[in-house]
Amino acid sequence: MKKLNWLFLMFLSFAFVACDDDDDEVDLDVTAPTITISSPTDNAVYAAGDVVEFRANVTDNEGLENIKVWVTNPGGTTSEIEDDDINDFLNDNRQKNLELDVTLPADAPVGAYVMTVEATDEQGNNAEESVTITVE
């Protein structure tokens, strides 16, 4: 029994010696998320009533907090398509694949539409990426 107590005491003392003061340092995340829009391509042409397949990949080195997607029409009016708080524990909130089908209204005005993705990570760093499409 005495040997077991001594072994436990030795193990405990090694554990304290192995502790490092560097554990108290905090590394701030200053890297913004990365957004890659794969569809639609920039300057793609659609007709009113068409379905636009919007595909994007959003990643962050530490963890994503929120992703928003909106469309701005030729008149400057903005319509939100997606507002998603990220809760994906399987990949530590570091990646989100967006797959949205956006149906253009049958009476959509002719002109340029800007589709925008904004991503915010857990430290508040923001990134924004846009693609312009044309409705004829």
Side-chain angles (χ1 to χ4, degrees):
M1 185 71 171
K2 283 187 177 184
K3 284 185 181 182
L4 184 60
N5 286 339
W6 278 106
L7 285 174
F8 178 73
L9 248 149
M10 285 180 44
F11 174 74
L12 191 59
S13 63
F14 283 124
F16 283 119
V17 172
C19 289
D20 194 350
D21 288 340
D22 292 341
D23 291 342
D24 295 336
E25 291 181 23
V26 174
D27 293 329
L28 294 178
D29 176 16
V30 294
T31 304
T34 301
I35 303 168
T36 304
I37 299 174
S38 58
S39 176
T41 59
D42 210 21
N43 299 314
V45 178
Y46 293 89
D50 282 354
V51 175
V52 178
E53 292 182 359
F54 187 83
R55 306 292 183 259
N57 184 18
V58 183
T59 59
D60 187 69
N61 62 324
E62 293 293 325
L64 295 164
E65 181 76 21
N66 182 270
I67 297 174
K68 294 181 183 179
V69 181
W70 66 88
V71 176
T72 306
N73 71 16
T77 303
T78 300
S79 300
E80 188 172 86
I81 299 171
E82 180 92 1
D83 186 354
D84 190 13
D85 290 328
I86 308 302
N87 291 316
D88 185 359
F89 297 107
L90 294 177
N91 67 28
D92 297 331
N93 298 336
R94 294 182 184 188
Q95 179 178 354
K96 175 73 174 179
N97 289 317
L98 295 172
E99 295 183 1
L100 305 170
D101 291 334
V102 181
T103 303
L104 298 170
D107 61 348
V110 172
Y113 289 72
V114 179
M115 302 181 82
T116 305
V117 179
E118 179 185 34
T120 305
D121 70 13
E122 293 171 348
Q123 291 297 314
N125 300 309
N126 287 326
E128 193 174 289
E129 192 69 35
S130 298
V131 63
T132 302
I133 63 170
T134 301
V135 174
E136 292 185 344

